[in-house]
């Protein structure tokens, strides 16, 4: 079964510190993509970062980096130098290559709160 | 570019009423999706479309129908609304089903069925 697991319902981090949000995945597809989305309280889904299963290097986008450990099937999001505006729900998602759908499979999310 | 837009943003229905949610995208994307988001859960796929005139069922299709008569529009219909369909509905589109192409999401429609 294709599945994304986010084991941290809620996280707190002090402003300007780094934080890691955990994500593990399960798929039998040899090729897949992993995504992180941010959902602020306003409700929209904002794309943050993408990692392909065959990418050799971990993806980075500004203050976001994805710690990809393929053997462990984990794709943790690291946010460096947290800001108050980072307070939001964060969703890990996977898109397997197999099949014709192309849809994303989402985890249940982690609510991040940044403290001043 | 407006990206992905959804109409309406909010709606309250009574049990048994019907309604249609409209999703429009101006990015010439082939793939379009309807998801629902319930409290404490991630987004779940309702229906999707891989091109104009084609639709298919996702993970939670019961109680919904869809149509994609034009490439830029994807409609989600509720024929007889039930309280279990109270949710936030997101439309998304993508250029390709392949891994590297991100999905662009609309702002969501908050639906309450009483």
């Amino acid at each position: 079964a294709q599945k994304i697991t986010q084991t941290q319902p809620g996280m707190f981090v002090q402003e300007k510190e780094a934080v890691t949000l955990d994500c593990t995945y399960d798929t039998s597809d040899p090729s897949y993509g992993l995504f992180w989305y941010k959902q602020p309280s306003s409700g929209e889904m904002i794309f943050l970062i993408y990692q392909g299963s065959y990418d050799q290097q971990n993806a980075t986008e500004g203050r976001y980096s994805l710690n990809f450990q393929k053997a462990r099937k984990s794709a943790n999001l690291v946010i460096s130098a947290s800001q108050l505006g980072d307070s939001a729900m964060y969703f890990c998602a996977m898109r397997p290559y197999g099949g014709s759908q192309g849809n994303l499979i989402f985890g249940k999310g982690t609510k991040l709160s940044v403290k001043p | 570019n407006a990206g992905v837009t959804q109409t309406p943003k909010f709606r309250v229905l009574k049990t048994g009423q019907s309604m249609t949610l409209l999703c429009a995208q101006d990015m010439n994307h082939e793939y379009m999706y309807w998801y629902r988001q319930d409290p404490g859960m991630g987004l779940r796929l309702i229906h999707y479309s891989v091109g104009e005139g084609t639709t298919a069922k996702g993970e939670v299709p019961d109680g919904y129908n869809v149509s994609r008569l034009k490439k830029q529009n994807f409609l989600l219909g509720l024929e007889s609304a039930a309280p279990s369909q109270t949710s936030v509905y997101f439309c998304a589109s993508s250029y390709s089903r392949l891994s590297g192409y991100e999905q662009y999401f609309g702002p969501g429609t908050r639906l309450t069925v009483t």
Side-chain angles (χ1 to χ4, degrees), chain B residues 74-106:
Chain B
F74 194 27
L75 278 63
L76 178 71
L78 286 74
E79 289 188 347
S80 179
S84 61
Q85 293 178 303
T86 293
S87 189
V88 180
Y89 292 86
F90 286 96
C91 176
S93 72
S94 179
Y95 174 73
S96 167
R97 70 173 179 84
L98 295 179
S99 162
Y101 292 90
E102 67 176 277
Q103 287 190 9
Y104 293 81
F105 284 82

Side-chain angles (χ1 to χ4, degrees), chain A:
Chain A
Q2 324 256 29
K3 189 177 179 181
I4 293 283
T5 302
Q6 294 179 254
T7 57
Q8 307 153 312
M11 289 277 289
F12 287 92
V13 65
Q14 203 69 37
E15 192 178 8
K16 299 182 184 177
E17 292 185 349
V19 63
T20 298
L21 305 183
D22 294 341
C23 172
T24 58
Y25 60 91
D26 190 15
T27 181
S28 55
D29 267 282
S31 300
Y32 48 88
L34 296 157
F35 299 77
W36 278 90
Y37 281 83
K38 173 184 179 182
Q39 186 178 43
S41 57
S42 50
E44 71 269 31
M45 297 291 287
I46 301 168
F47 167 74
L48 294 178
I49 196 167
Y50 157 78
Q51 177 86 41
S53 60
Y54 289 115
D55 292 342
Q56 296 295 318
Q57 291 191 322
N58 287 344
T60 60
E61 289 286 348
R63 294 186 298 110
Y64 304 107
S65 61
L66 200 152
N67 184 2
F68 180 47
Q69 298 188 39
K70 195 170 182 177
R72 295 185 177 185
K73 293 192 173 181
S74 75
N76 298 340
L77 177 70
V78 180
I79 305 174
S80 63
S82 298
Q83 302 172 355
L84 296 178
D86 294 334
S87 294
M89 283 292 291
Y90 288 81
F91 290 96
C92 180
M94 173 176 64
R95 174 191 263 162
Y97 267 137
S100 61
Q101 297 178 203
N103 64 290
L104 293 170
I105 299 163
F106 284 86
K108 294 185 177 182
T110 295
K111 184 174 183 179
L112 177 66
S113 300
V114 181
K115 297 189 285 187

